[in-house]
Amino acid sequence: MYTRVKLCDLPTPLEYLANISRIYDNNIYIKRDDLAGPEPGGNKARKLEYILGEVRKKGANHLITCGSVFSNHCRLTAMAAVREGLDCTLVLNRPAADSEAIDFSGNYFLYNLLGVNIELVDKSERDEKMEQLEQKLKDQGEKPHLIPAGGYSKAGIHGYVEAAAEIKAQSKDYLGEKGKFDLLFLATGTGTTQAGLLIGNYLHKCSEAIVGISVEPGKEEGENKIKESLKEYCQDLDLSALEISHDLLLLDEYIGAGYGIIEDDLLEVISLMAREEAILLDPVYSAKAFAGLLSFIEEKNLHNQDILFLHTGGLPILLNNSTNFQDLLVGN
Ligand SMILES: *Cc1c(COP(=O)(O)O)cnc(C)c1O
């Protein structure tokens, strides 16, 4: 039902974090989906493999998607388009104030480097703009394909249903007979990744529990979005979305002041991971999830648990925010 177009070298590595494990008295592992897809990769690459399957089936020649000026999804969509020889237009949120210049670095720089089309609009007009573009291209005899923000789609979910099977296979190397992790943590935005993992985990039992750390406010909204994803995906299959939704765990107490807002304790977590493990986390997604994992360990007083962290990528966003670290790292 879903066709894969190879964009990622799979499986991505699953590694043991010896130093962090020692400090936190648990066995902490990392699934390197920051290495999925063209460099610098991320979780969107797994979703795009199956989205591209639909694009090929349909014979589309132009990808349209949307996001913020620092969207990893937009960057990987642009890279996928380049690889597939497709045109690509990114509809990006215009900065709130006209005077606010867009930082020509990170993902925004990469969109330009990759040579895709960029349209800046108010966030509220994004969907309308994408539909207008789609219609315009159709009128010109082209075949556009519209990808929702963050790759939120059944094909996108499927990428992470498959990832759960991959994690299951790799867990045997470390956990032997036990064969599954006690906890799996990840950063959750649109919830596509978490929905896929929940379904995959139901099928393959790679972890006792899956904990989504929400990166945007609105826990109930986030949960509903994931439940909606489960329902849509399971609809055509012999799977009960309701039963799977009992396993849904989304925590929103680690968001800090809000989406994309970077606080000092997050900078500490990012430098801890860099100094102990040479793992690079980004301050909008992966560092919030990892900070959530560490807080969870402390709050629940966990010891000797096998805990997997799914690294979803986002390196360009870390580099975007380098000056935030200056005081912490080199003093003043
Ligand atoms: C998009 C993104 C997420 C969130 O993934 P969803 O499937 O939208 O929940 C997490 N981490 C990074 C680095 C991302 O770019």
Side-chain angles (χ1 to χ4, degrees), residues 34 41-44 47 70-73 75-76 107 149-152 156 160 186-195 213 215-216 225-226 259 282 284-287 289 310-315 317:
D34 54 322
N43 64 334
K44 304 308 181 304
K47 303 184 193 183
F70 54 83
S71 160
N72 299 311
H73 162 70
R75 183 233 317 149
L76 281 161
N107 283 322
Y152 178 80
Y160 273 91
L186 76 151
T188 287
T190 67
T192 319
T193 304
Q194 193 175 348
I213 303 291
V215 298
E216 19 198 331
K225 223 167 164 183
I226 293 173
Y259 178 69
D282 85 276
V284 176
Y285 299 97
S286 54
L310 174 68
H311 192 337
T312 43
L315 177 63
I317 307 181

Side-chain angles (χ1 to χ4, degrees), residues 150-167:
Y152 178 80
S153 58
K154 284 204 285 184
I157 293 169
H158 189 69
Y160 273 91
V161 176
E162 293 293 310
E166 191 179 298
I167 291 169

Side-chain angles (χ1 to χ4, degrees), residues 3 7 136 139 240 281 292:
T3 313
L7 196 60
K136 191 172 131 200
D139 292 346
S240 162
L281 300 175

Side-chain angles (χ1 to χ4, degrees), residues 221-281:
E221 200 185 320
E223 284 174 350
N224 287 339
K225 223 167 164 183
I226 293 173
K227 284 180 191 162
E228 198 51 48
S229 288
L230 295 176
K231 220 187 281 173
E232 262 184 57
Y233 185 90
C234 294
Q235 205 172 49
D236 329 318
L237 302 166
D238 191 18
L239 270 175
S240 162
L242 189 65
E243 203 176 320
I244 297 171
S245 71
H246 294 321
D247 299 333
L248 172 56
L249 192 53
L250 183 65
L251 303 181
D252 70 344
E253 53 260 52
Y254 307 106
I255 299 166
Y259 178 69
I261 300 175
I262 302 160
E263 283 157 82
D264 286 353
D265 51 351
L266 218 51
L267 304 183
E268 304 273 358
V269 169
I270 293 171
S271 42
L272 175 78
M273 271 295 257
R275 288 169 184 219
E276 296 297 338
E277 301 289 355
I279 295 285
L280 307 177
L281 300 175

